[in-house]
Amino acid sequence: MKRYTSTKTFSNLPCSHRSWRHKGHCAFIHGYSRSYKFYFTANELNENNFVVDFGSLKELKKWLEHMFDHTLLIDEDDPERKLLEDMHKKGICDLRVLPSCSMEGSAKYVYEYADKLIKKSTNNRAWCYKVEARENDKNSATYEV
C-alpha cells in the first residue's frame, strides 16, 4: 500500500529527569533540551494536499510545552516520588510523573497523545506512526507502530 508521509519537529524543550534505577550518574536529576520529531501518514491528502496541516498542531505544541518546558520528569514508581511531589507543592520544581521518563518511555508517551490528537483532528484520515525523542544532538530514542 502506498501512503503519504510528513514530519514535524518541536525543539528547545528544556527539562530535567532522573533515571532512578540507573547505577551511574543518570540516577541524579539532570537535564537536556529535548526535541520530538513526529512522523505522520495518510492514504489520502486533505483539501490542501497535506498529510497534516502543521498550522493545526497548536494544541500539540502547547501540550509539549506544558509537559517538557522547565519541568522535572520522574517515573511513576520513583521511590522519591513523595519528596519530589512535596518539592512541587512548595514551588521548587514543576513536576511531571510519567510511566517512564526515559527517552524511550517519553517517545511512547508523546506518541500516544499525538496519535489520538491527529486521528481526532483529521477524522481518522491521518495518524502518527512514529515519534523520535531526542535529548541532545547525540542521543535519541524512537517509538514506532
Side-chain angles (χ1 to χ4, degrees):
M1 174 180 286
K2 296 181 181 180
R3 292 192 302 225
Y4 299 95
T5 62
S6 64
T7 64
K8 177 68 174 177
T9 302
F10 294 92
S11 300
N12 302 317
L13 297 163
C15 65
S16 58
H17 64 271
R18 80 182 210 111
S19 300
W20 72 268
R21 289 179 188 82
H22 194 268
K23 301 298 183 217
H25 62 273
C26 289
F28 299 125
I29 295 172
H30 60 290
Y32 294 104
S33 185
R34 291 185 179 208
S35 65
Y36 293 94
K37 183 173 184 177
F38 296 87
Y39 294 76
F40 305 114
T41 192
N43 296 322
E44 299 175 15
L45 301 176
N46 72 6
E47 64 278 1
N48 296 310
N49 292 317
F50 300 155
V51 173
V52 172
D53 183 349
F54 296 148
S56 71
L57 298 177
K58 290 175 180 61
E59 182 179 340
L60 179 58
K61 181 178 188 272
K62 183 177 178 179
W63 180 79
L64 288 168
E65 289 171 347
H66 168 75
M67 290 301 299
F68 303 105
D69 189 1
H70 288 83
T71 58
L72 169 59
L73 313 174
I74 62 167
D75 293 347
E76 61 189 6
D77 64 348
D78 190 310
E80 298 299 335
R81 180 173 172 172
K82 176 156 179 11
L83 170 66
L84 296 165
E85 287 174 337
D86 288 345
M87 290 173 59
H88 175 80
K89 288 175 189 170
K90 291 180 178 185
I92 296 169
C93 65
D94 194 7
L95 185 65
R96 303 290 181 268
V97 179
L98 280 68
S100 168
C101 68
S102 69
M103 296 313 293
E104 294 82 354
S106 66
K108 180 182 181 196
Y109 188 76
V110 300
Y111 159 80
E112 290 171 346
Y113 184 89
D115 184 52
K116 184 187 290 186
L117 182 69
I118 295 303
K119 286 177 178 173
K120 181 180 176 187
S121 69
T122 66
N123 200 22
N124 289 316
R125 182 189 54 76
W127 59 97
C128 183
Y129 70 92
K130 180 176 164 181
V131 171
E132 178 183 14
R134 183 166 286 284
E135 64 184 9
N136 57 38
D137 61 350
K138 298 183 283 185
N139 304 326
S140 71
T142 58
Y143 182 79
E144 185 172 354
V145 176

